[in-house]
């Protein structure tokens, strides 16, 4: 990699050169060869060519791919002559010498209109912007600097015949950098805006871009605000024949400009003010005047259509009458005197145009200042400066229409040429001195005589013109020419028909109203028409005062001279003297800087790519003084190169220096040149560079080098091939050795392994045999040892058993003795015990007999003291006392009076057992009697009824237990009290035993209907519940045969009627009531009372019921409670009614 980059450094301008890249090397140097070289390069898209460090640029009129970021990188930090000529090389050189050597730079771009100056200046700026520092702040500065261009171009550029985007002002821009080379800001100076364009444009040209951009690009709203119309043809100041430029979209340009203004830092209201002024200028052109005769025969002009005037005044905030008066009168003030004269129509138009031009040019100057304010460097620290000058080059109109402007421009170019020559020579000379080369005088044309002709303060053309302008009395352009003819006639560069020298008297190419100057670049014929006027640049004071009075801050600030308080009776400086002063400042400025030149050339007049018009180029080459330039450059030595670079490039041409020179580069070059036998006068040794006088020498060196390079290439190839073959062979050889070695090793290894394994097998056999032999021996020994042990063991065993037997015998004998002894002892003991028992019984018998005897004796003794039967009486007394005590205790321990209380005190004596039980029974009966005694007859009847119910239902019907606690009320409906049942009550004569609502089951579907059930002592009745009195059936109790019901907890029951009775016609009744227990009990009771016969009560889960003709079976089944907690009845078929009872 390191080598690669080193090789890159060695590239040179001389490589792959088309034509010659540096005109200094042109051989032979003639105008023809010069142009031929340019053409050749141009045809190969090489638009840049050097003259030493000057860059000639030919406008390609199409975009070339040579401005890419890659190119920027390529040229960055490279030496000037290393790569093919490019504007970037110049920009890089300038930037680096600014940054690294701290030299302020200026880049002077000259050339005629359309030659590519403005483009070149932009390329330089963009290159510098690309290579200089980065960062947010720096980028903003860069952006502002770059964006100042579109703004200035919109206001200062116009389409001309030569250039669609021609700058109509000179521009010099200082870009300021800090010590690191980062941009800080800039200052722009503008020179001589071509303001006459505002009011009039030559054929095929346009006014300044901004007018068209505004009209095309502004919104309807904005146009309305500015009182403008979109149509270009509405404005006199806009020429119509080229209103639009092909390939340019004015509307989008307008947006770009507005955006650029914003970026540069214009406030919205500032932009608005600027556009108002532009609009006002446009509208000024539409004001027209008409003559109006006055008494003293003088034509006075009047504004024709006041509408436009009115609108302008509204737009700019000017009092209409003031402006109107300013267009009609002119006030001249001289020494406290004020004279007011009327203006005629022509003067009025002149005044109008002067106003428009002044407005516009002052606006332009204001814009430049405003931009400067924005891009001004924000630091007071020392800055390095790079100036870029883009000013129109020499202008020569062949038609001879050269006027004041051309004169001024050419003067400026003359000055630039002067400092160019000065600086180039200076630089050249400095280099010679630096390098210690003898300086030989160079013959060249010094144009200072021409500059003097123009700018000399006493008798220069400009001074003369000023004098004429200030002179009282009638002054015209011809008086000016006359004066010139007098004063300058002798000057060798001035030509005039009327000059005193007779040589031009018959020169018909020189008209009478013209003069001609021999500029360094050629002769130029100037028409004197308009010189005086243009130099005067007069704006009537009335107009500037009118402007100053405007209620518009921008306009007011543009016309400070209109302020009556600061009235200045002295004439303002003339245009010429102003320009001269600013050129002088510029020159002074440039002289302090290191110059870099870009000379732009236009290849054709058609703005076409690929066309190279020799005559046109020739003309430019001449007036740019390029030949002069080359001559100056090679006056001494055409080519110079540092020793190192020279040696590096040509060292292959000499044996001593090839391939390496070990010593000073200078000595190497010396050896080399001597070896090549180059004549000594052809070169000279500087301190660090070799100077070559003639390009021919260089090219012969180049030629030899090329040839030698071919030879070297073959040599290198040869050596390389040999080296490659040998390397290959060596590689093969060493590979073979390696392979053989590896194979041998492998074979030996294999053989060795085989031998080794055989040895191991033999060895193992022998070892095995040996081992077995030893084993056998060992086994025999072991067996012998074991036999001994076994025999020993047997012998010991026999001995031990024998011993044991002896011991056992002994033990058995000892035990027999013990047993015998023990039984003997036992016998002895039992015998003793028997004896002792006998003895004790005898003793007891003696005691008892003794006691009896004593008793008998006592009883015999005391019998005589007692009466007969006393014992019986004592006994009875004792018994009585015990019974007494028993009753008293019983009285205290009596249980409660409740018949349910079953408690009774415990029995104290066994003989009182029967008494105790009897007493308990009596007590119980007594408490029961007492309890019964509390009952009334009514209560008795209720209990009787309850008793009866119990007899009938207890343990038979599941519903019964729940009815025990409920008292039987009988009349639940309170028939004789409730007024609802009054009528029903009156139908029943007897006493009502029972009355309640029951459900009568419908035979058809098993559903129930509510009925009033009434029971008296000899019948029961069913009445309609709804009406409360309609009796449905009456059944005498005598006709009731039986009652049927289930054993479940339901309330269904059937009442059967004796067959053949009236009641039987309807059939049996199937009813449902919660109070079934009470109803049946009462029915039973009433039936018994009436007939002394019991009504049959059937409790079964399945019974038959007679309905009219047919019998229906009623069946009770138990089911889950999900059917409800109530029993329900359903007709299953015409023989079966099913009652579902919830299972308990
Ligand atoms: N280097 C270039 N590459 C491509 N086109 C160019 C180049 N220089 C100039 N031009 C073309 O030529 C036209 C005129 O160039 P410009 O710089 O405005 O001329 P000048 O400023 O000298 O009057 C440009 O609008 C552009 O179309
Ligand atoms: Mg330009």
């Amino acid at each position: 990699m390191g080598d690669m980059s080193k090789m890159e450094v060695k590239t040179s301008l001389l490589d792959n050169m088309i034509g010659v890249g540096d005109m200094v090397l042109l051989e032979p140097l003639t105008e023809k060869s010069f142009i031929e070289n340019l053409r050749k390069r141009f045809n190969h898209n090489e638009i840049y060519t050097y003259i030493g460090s000057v860059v000639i640029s030919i406008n390609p009129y199409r975009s070339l791919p040579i401005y890419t970021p890659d190119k920027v990188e390529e040229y960055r930090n490279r030496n000037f002559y290393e790569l093919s000529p490019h504007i970037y090389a110049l920009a890089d050189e300038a930037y680096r010498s600014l940054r690294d050597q701290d030299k302020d730079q200026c880049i002077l771009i000259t050339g005629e209109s359309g030659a590519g100056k403005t483009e070149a200046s932009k390329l330089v700026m963009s290159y510098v912007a690309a290579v200089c520092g980065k960062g947010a702040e720096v980028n903003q500065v860069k952006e502002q600097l770059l964006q100042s261009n579109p703004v200035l171009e919109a206001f200062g550029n116009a389409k001309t015949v030569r250039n669609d985007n021609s700058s109509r002002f000179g521009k010099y821009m200082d870009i300021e950098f800090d010590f690191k080379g980062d941009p800080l800001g800039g200052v722009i100076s503008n020179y001589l805006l071509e303001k006459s364009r505002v009011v009039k444009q030559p054929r095929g040209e346009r006014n300044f871009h901004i007018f068209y951009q505004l009209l095309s690009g502004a919104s309807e709203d904005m146009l309305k605000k500015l009182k403008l119309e979109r149509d270009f043809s509405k404005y006199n100041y806009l020429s119509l024949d080229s209103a639009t430029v092909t390939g340019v979209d004015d509307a989008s340009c307008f947006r770009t400009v507005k955006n650029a203004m914003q970026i540069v830092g214009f406030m919205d209201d500032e932009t608005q003010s600027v556009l108002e002024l532009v609009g006002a200028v446009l509208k000024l052109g539409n004001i027209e005047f008409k003559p109006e005769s006055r008494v003293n025969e003088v034509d006075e002009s009047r504004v024709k259509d006041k509408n436009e005037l009115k609108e302008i005044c509204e737009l700019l905030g000017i009092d209409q009458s003031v402006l109107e008066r300013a267009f009609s009168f002119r006030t001249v003030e001289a020494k406290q005197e004020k004279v007011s004269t009327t203006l005629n129509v022509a003067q009025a138009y002149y005044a109008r145009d002067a106003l428009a031009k002044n407005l516009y040019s002052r606006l332009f100057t204001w814009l430049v200042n405003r931009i400067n304010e924005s891009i001004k460097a924000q630091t007071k620290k020392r800055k390095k400066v790079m100036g870029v000058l883009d000013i129109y080059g020499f202008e020569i109109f062949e038609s001879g229409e050269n006027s004041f402007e051309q004169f001024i421009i050419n003067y400026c170019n003359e000055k630039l040429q002067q400092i160019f020559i000065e600086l180039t020579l200076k630089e050249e000379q400095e280099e010679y001195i630096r390098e210690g080369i003898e300086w030989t005088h160079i013959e060249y044309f010094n144009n200072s005589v021409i500059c003097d002709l123009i700018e000399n303060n006493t008798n220069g053309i400009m001074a003369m013109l000023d004098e004429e302008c200030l002179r009282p009395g009638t002054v015209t352009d011809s008086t000016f020419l006359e004066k010139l003819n007098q004063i300058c006639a002798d000057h060798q560069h001035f030509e005039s028909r009327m000059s005193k020298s007779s040589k031009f008297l018959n020169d018909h190419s020189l008209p009478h109203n013209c003069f001609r100057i021999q500029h360094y670049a050629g002769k130029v014929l100037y028409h004197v028409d308009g010189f005086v006027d243009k130099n005067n640049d007069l704006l009537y004071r009335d107009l500037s005062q009118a402007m100053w009075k405007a209620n518009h801050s921008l306009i007011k600030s543009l016309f400070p001279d209109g302020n009556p308080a600061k009235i200045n009776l002295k004439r303002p400086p003339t245009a010429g003297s102003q320009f001269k002063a600013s050129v002088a400042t510029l020159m002074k400025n440039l002289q302090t800087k290191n110059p870099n030149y870009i000379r732009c050339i236009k290849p054709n007049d058609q703005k076409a790519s690929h066309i190279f018009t020799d005559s046109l180029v020739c003309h430019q080459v001449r007036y740019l003084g390029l030949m002069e330039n080359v001559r100056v450059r090679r006056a001494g030595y055409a080519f110079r190169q540092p020793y190192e670079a020279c040696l590096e490039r040509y060292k292959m041409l000499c044996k001593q220096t090839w391939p390496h020179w070990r010593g000073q580069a200078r000595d190497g070059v010396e050896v080399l040149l001597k070896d090549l036998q180059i004549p000594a006068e052809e070169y000279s040794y500087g301190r660090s560079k070799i100077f070559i006088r003639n390009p021919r020498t260089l090219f012969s060196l180049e030629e030899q080098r090329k040839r030698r390079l071919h030879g070297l290439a073959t040599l290198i190839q040869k050596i390389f091939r040999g080296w490659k073959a040998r390397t290959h062979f060596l590689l093969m050889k060493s590979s073979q050795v390696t392979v053989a070695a590896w194979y041998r090793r492998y074979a030996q290894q294999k053989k060795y392994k085989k031998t080794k394994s055989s040895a191991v097998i033999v060895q193992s056999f022998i070892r095995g045999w040996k081992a077995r032999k030893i084993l056998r021996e060992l086994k025999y020994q072991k067996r012998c040892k074991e036999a001994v042990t076994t025999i020993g063991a047997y012998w010991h065993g026999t001995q031990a058993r024998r011993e044991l037997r002896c011991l056992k015998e002994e033990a058995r004998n000892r035990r027999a003795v013990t047993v015998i002894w023990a039984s003997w002892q036992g016998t002895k003991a039992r015998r003793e015990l028997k004896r002792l028992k006998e003895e004790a019984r005898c003793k007891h018998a003696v005691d008892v007999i003794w006691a009896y005897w004593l008793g008998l004796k006592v009883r015999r003794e005391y019998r005589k003291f007692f009466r007969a039967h006393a014992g019986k009486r004592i006994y009875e007394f004792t018994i009585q006392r015990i019974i007494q005590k028993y009753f008293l205790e019983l009285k205290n321990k009596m249980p409660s009076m409740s018949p349910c209380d079953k408690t009774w005190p415990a029995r104290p004596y066994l003989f009182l057992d029967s008494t105790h039980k009897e007493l308990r029974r009596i007590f119980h009966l007594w408490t029961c009697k007492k309890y019964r005694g509390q009952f009334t007859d009514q209560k008795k009847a209720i209990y009787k009824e309850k008793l009866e119910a119990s007899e009938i239902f207890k343990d038979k019907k599941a519903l019964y237990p729940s009815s025990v606690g409920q008292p039987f009320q009988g009349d639940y409906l309170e028939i004789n009290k409730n007024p609802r049942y009054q009528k029903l009550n009156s139908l029943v004569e007897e006493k009502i035993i029972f009355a309640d609502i029951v459900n009568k089951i419908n035979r058809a579907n098993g559903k129930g209907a509510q009925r009033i059930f009434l029971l008296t002592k000899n019948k029961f009745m069913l009445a309609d519940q709804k009406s409360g009195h309609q009796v449905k059936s009456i059944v005498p109790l005598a006709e009731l045969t039986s009652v049927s019901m289930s054993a479940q907890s339901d309330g269904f029951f059937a009442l059967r009627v004796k067959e053949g009775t009236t009641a039987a016609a309807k059939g049996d009744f199937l009813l449902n009531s919660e109070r079934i227990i009470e109803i049946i009990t009462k029915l039973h009771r009433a039936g018994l009372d009436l007939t002394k016969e019991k009504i049959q009560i059937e409790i079964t889960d399945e019974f038959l019921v007679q309905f009219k003709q047919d019998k229906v079976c009623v069946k009770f089944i138990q089911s889950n409670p999900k059917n409800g907690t109530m029993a329900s009845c359903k007709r299953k078929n015409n023989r079966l009614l099913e009652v579902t009872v919830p299972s308990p």
Side-chain angles (χ1 to χ4, degrees), residues 784-825:
C784 290
K785 234 186 260 169
E786 274 174 3
V788 170
T789 315
T790 311
I791 292 163
Y794 272 103
W795 167 243
H796 286 310
T798 317
Q799 286 260 19
R801 276 191 296 279
R802 214 177 274 165
E803 182 88 353
L804 183 68
R805 233 178 289 142
C806 287
L807 286 172
K808 271 184 179 170
E809 194 69 22
E810 217 170 288
R812 229 180 284 142
N813 291 347
R814 221 183 286 151
R815 195 174 140 76
V817 171
T818 315
V819 169
I820 293 164
W821 174 247
S823 62
W824 162 242
Q825 285 281 334

Side-chain angles (χ1 to χ4, degrees), residues 233-504:
S233 67
K234 288 267 170 24
Y235 298 99
N236 294 339
Y237 278 167
L238 302 185
S239 69
L240 278 180
D241 46 343
S242 58
T244 52
V245 183
T246 40
V248 176
D249 178 3
D250 284 318
S252 92
C253 285
F254 183 64
R255 285 190 289 278
T256 313
V257 169
K258 276 191 76 175
N259 185 41
M261 285 175 89
Q262 208 173 13
I263 293 174
V264 170
F266 281 76
M267 298 295 154
D268 284 349
D269 60 319
E270 283 176 322
T271 311
Q272 180 65 21
S273 295
V274 167
L275 295 178
E276 276 165 12
L277 246 73
V278 172
V281 169
L282 261 189
K283 290 170 84 67
L284 264 181
N286 288 0
I287 294 182
E288 287 178 344
F289 304 97
K290 60 183 181 203
E292 203 176 79
S293 264
R294 287 221 315 188
V295 203
N296 54 2
E297 299 292 303
V298 182
D299 269 355
E300 193 194 345
S301 88
R302 276 275 176 272
V303 176
K304 231 192 235 169
D305 174 15
K306 292 195 182 162
N307 199 34
E308 199 79 38
L309 185 74
K310 188 174 145 246
E311 283 184 2
I312 292 171
C313 290
E314 279 170 10
L315 200 58
L316 302 184
I318 300 174
D319 187 348
Q320 193 183 334
S321 59
V322 172
L323 189 58
E324 200 179 341
R325 197 188 142 76
F327 280 136
S328 309
F329 292 94
R330 179 184 175 193
T331 314
V332 180
E333 275 172 84
K335 295 181 186 158
Q336 288 106 31
E337 261 181 79
K338 250 190 191 176
V339 185
S340 195
T341 54
T342 57
L343 297 179
N344 63 24
V345 172
Q347 284 171 323
Y349 276 116
Y350 177 85
R352 178 196 75 174
D353 289 348
L355 177 60
K357 286 191 280 187
N358 259 287
L359 251 180
Y360 193 82
S361 73
R362 288 177 193 218
L363 171 66
F364 187 74
T365 311
W366 179 86
L367 272 173
V368 172
N369 292 337
R370 177 66 188 80
I371 291 173
N372 281 337
E373 211 174 280
S374 277
I375 63 176
K376 182 165 69 183
Q378 300 297 329
T379 166
K380 290 235 150 51
K381 270 185 248 155
R382 207 186 81 79
K383 300 161 218 157
K384 305 178 179 189
V385 178
M386 179 184 281
V388 180
L389 180 69
D390 167 17
I391 199 151
Y392 11 62
F394 232 90
E395 269 188 14
I396 309 173
F397 292 109
E398 296 296 342
S399 53
E401 279 166 21
N402 303 302
S403 179
F404 181 70
E405 288 86 358
Q406 280 68 44
F407 174 71
I408 295 275
I409 290 166
N410 293 345
Y411 160 63
C412 176
N413 277 279
E414 202 72 61
K415 293 290 285 181
L416 283 174
Q417 173 71 8
Q418 196 182 17
I419 81 162
F420 168 69
I421 293 169
E422 229 172 73
L423 293 177
T424 313
L425 285 176
K426 200 166 94 193
E427 196 189 28
E428 194 79 5
Q429 201 166 3
E430 271 170 8
E431 176 152 40
Y432 280 33
I433 293 166
R434 233 189 355 258
E435 293 291 331
I437 303 242
E438 198 188 329
W439 174 252
T440 43
H441 179 71
I442 297 167
E443 271 309 323
Y444 68 95
F445 170 68
N446 191 342
N447 69 339
S448 60
V449 258
I450 310 174
C451 294
D452 189 65
L453 168 67
I454 299 171
E455 66 179 2
N456 190 303
N457 278 337
T458 51
N459 53 5
I461 296 176
M462 278 180 146
M464 231 85 76
L465 181 59
D466 280 359
E467 224 176 278
E468 273 301 288
C469 289
L470 298 174
R471 182 170 64 82
T474 44
V475 177
T476 63
D477 294 322
S478 44
T479 59
F480 161 61
L481 187 59
E482 263 169 44
K483 192 162 191 164
L484 279 190
N485 286 338
Q486 279 173 26
I487 310 272
C488 306
D490 292 334
H491 200 283
Q492 73 241 49
H493 291 273
F494 180 85
E495 299 173 7
S496 156
R497 196 76 172 268
M498 305 306 281
S499 66
K500 279 184 265 171
S501 63
S502 53
K503 54 181 170 176
F504 301 110

Side-chain angles (χ1 to χ4, degrees), residues 47-48 57-64 66-67 111-120 122-123 157 162-167 390 600:
I47 61 166
Y48 298 113
S57 157
I58 308 183
N59 188 349
Y61 280 120
R62 72 203 153 92
S63 62
L64 294 175
I66 53 171
Y67 308 114
E112 74 176 69
S113 183
K117 298 180 298 292
T118 307
E119 291 298 321
K122 287 193 249 178
L123 286 171
N157 287 23
R162 294 140 185 262
N163 184 352
D164 288 348
N165 181 31
S166 178
S167 329
D390 167 17
C600 296

